[in-house]
Each structure stands twice: as structure tokens, then as C-alpha cells.
Amino acid sequence: MGSEQNLLFAVVFLSSLLLSTHAITDAPSPSPSSSQIFSTETNILTIKSNTVNTLFKPSSEILDFCKDTENPTLCSETIAPFMQDMFDPIKALEIEMEATLNQSMKVSNIISEALTNPNTDRRARGALDICKSQYKSIAQTVKDAVELLNQQNVVDAYYKFSSVISDQSTCEDAFVESRGVTIPFADDSLGVFQLGGNCLAIMDSMVNNRNRYFLV
Ligand SMILES: *[C@@H]1O[C@H](CO)[C@@H](O)[C@H](O)[C@H]1NC(C)=O
């Protein structure tokens, strides 16, 4: 294995670690119907020592599953560490939704910290307040969508989930409209957009029978 590959693997590993270190601070209480998504929880260190190959080389099924999303690499990198056994498309979608939730919780935490920090620019506070409520709504939306998915209701899950993208952009717009300040979490906001967009693309292909994994 070349050192370039090693480096790439290290970067991928670090980014998945970053995603997973920002915990869901208020995970919904597991109900029977939503338990599936939480059974994907795995200790990242265990993954590292046991399954280095599968972690960093997404299976051909995962690559194929992700290929029609806007960010196929991000899609397969976020799913692969949690999908080491048999490929399961619904579980893969739930993992991508959970990754979106985790990323939005990360942004929520940044917003809360900025709002409590006395050094935060006064001109940014209005936008931060707007973002705080948008991200609260995003977290609830993703949880509701997972719930709908567990009830086999992909169509409603799709429509529900689409507000993740509009809420994310409402937050960004709030900063665009605030003179003299820029969004302090541009990359993390982009992450929510990309992960959320991946979920929508996957659901879209499910609903429209374009994803071979969902053909019945
Ligand atoms: C989401 O965060 C939780 C808590 O840190 C973690 O256990 C889980 O693996 C993460 N899920 C994904 C898909 O990254």
C-alpha cells in the first residue's frame, strides 16, 4: 500500500472521526420503530482495529448506491464505516440521515457557543438567533423523517426532509443579509447541505424506482 493511499485513508478516517465526535446531545428515546438507526452505533476505535479495509474501501454496493448523489464520495465515506456486513439500502439511507443529524448537531453547538460568547460580534447575533431556530427545526425534521422511513413511508419522508435544505439556506441567508459579518461555520453548514442533499437524492431514486436496490 502506497504512502499516498495511507495518507488518504488517514484523512478519511479523521474526517469520519470528526463527524462522530460531535455527539447527538439529545438523541430521541429509542422506540421500537426507530431502533434500527441507533443500532448502527459502533465504537470508532473498534472499527479501526478490526476492519481497516472495509472502513476505507467502500464496497461496490455502497459506491453504486451513492453514485447518483451530488456528493458520492462523501456519501460512501459516511456509510462505509457503519456498513460492514451485508449491504442494506434502508440502513444505508438511515446512516446518511444520521450523519446529517450529527452534522447539524455540530452546527447547533457552534451556534450555541457563539451566542454565549461575550466576544461574539453584536452584528452577528441576529443571524445566529435565526440559525439557532433553523437548526432546531433541522434536527426535529431529520428525526421525524427517520420515523417515517421506519413506517415505510418514503414519500412523506422525502417531502419532510426537503425542509432540511431550505432551513440550512435560511440560516446562511441570515448571514448574507448581516452587514460586516460572515458565517463562522461555512464548512460545517456546507456539510449539512451536502449530507442532506445526499439523503434527498437517495430518497428521490427510491420513490422513482431508479435505484436498483429499491426495485421490488
Ligand atoms: C452520530 O453520532 C453518534 C454519537 O456520537 C455516533 O455514535 C454515531 O456513530 C454517529 N453516526 C454517524 C452516521 O456518523
Side-chain angles (χ1 to χ4, degrees):
M1 181 183 299
S3 60
E4 260 178 35
Q5 249 176 320
N6 280 328
L7 180 64
L8 177 65
F9 290 174
V11 170
V12 171
F13 176 69
L14 278 177
S15 35
S16 59
L17 194 63
L18 277 175
L19 269 176
S20 56
T21 47
H22 295 278
I24 305 179
T25 46
D26 60 341
S29 51
S31 60
S33 58
S34 69
S35 60
Q36 208 184 352
I37 191 164
F38 295 105
S39 65
T40 60
E41 285 191 9
T42 320
N43 183 326
I44 194 92
L45 295 175
T46 322
I47 297 170
K48 193 192 172 199
S49 51
N50 296 345
T51 56
V52 166
N53 287 335
T54 45
L55 174 56
F56 299 118
K57 269 192 251 154
S59 65
S60 55
E61 284 110 327
I62 295 178
L63 292 173
D64 197 35
F65 179 79
C66 288
K67 77 175 178 347
D68 293 328
T69 63
E70 298 272 328
N71 298 279
T73 309
L74 179 65
C75 175
S76 49
E77 280 171 3
T78 43
I79 292 171
F82 300 98
M83 180 128 304
Q84 293 144 49
D85 309 325
M86 283 265 290
F87 180 73
D88 173 347
I90 293 288
K91 192 176 163 203
L93 172 57
E94 288 187 343
I95 292 167
E96 195 67 352
M97 284 186 170
E98 194 186 78
T100 309
L101 181 62
N102 284 6
Q103 179 66 19
S104 68
M105 299 309 293
K106 179 184 177 186
V107 174
S108 284
N109 289 338
I110 296 172
I111 294 167
S112 298
E113 278 166 26
L115 280 169
T116 51
N117 186 341
N119 298 324
T120 296
D121 193 321
R122 252 184 46 243
R123 294 169 299 175
R125 291 191 180 272
L128 285 167
D129 279 331
I130 291 170
C131 288
K132 186 180 175 179
S133 70
Q134 297 307 308
Y135 273 86
K136 197 174 167 199
S137 151
I138 288 174
Q140 191 56 52
T141 299
V142 178
K143 289 171 192 171
D144 291 348
V146 169
E147 205 50 50
L148 287 164
L149 197 64
N150 282 318
Q151 295 159 16
Q152 324 284 322
N153 190 345
V154 188
V155 174
D156 285 344
Y158 174 85
Y159 285 113
K160 175 126 233 149
F161 202 94
S162 60
S163 71
V164 168
I165 302 299
S166 50
D167 289 346
Q168 182 271 354
S169 73
T170 301
C171 165
E172 290 205 342
D173 291 348
F175 276 96
V176 171
E177 285 153 23
S178 306
R179 285 184 166 274
V181 286
T182 51
I183 189 166
F185 43 86
D187 288 350
D188 288 315
S189 173
L190 179 64
V192 172
F193 178 81
Q194 291 177 327
L195 291 165
N198 285 350
C199 294
L200 280 176
I202 293 165
M203 281 185 273
D204 183 61
S205 63
M206 281 171 85
V207 171
N208 294 299
N209 267 4
R210 275 188 281 102
N211 190 318
R212 72 178 173 94
Y213 292 107
F214 297 110
L215 294 176
V216 280

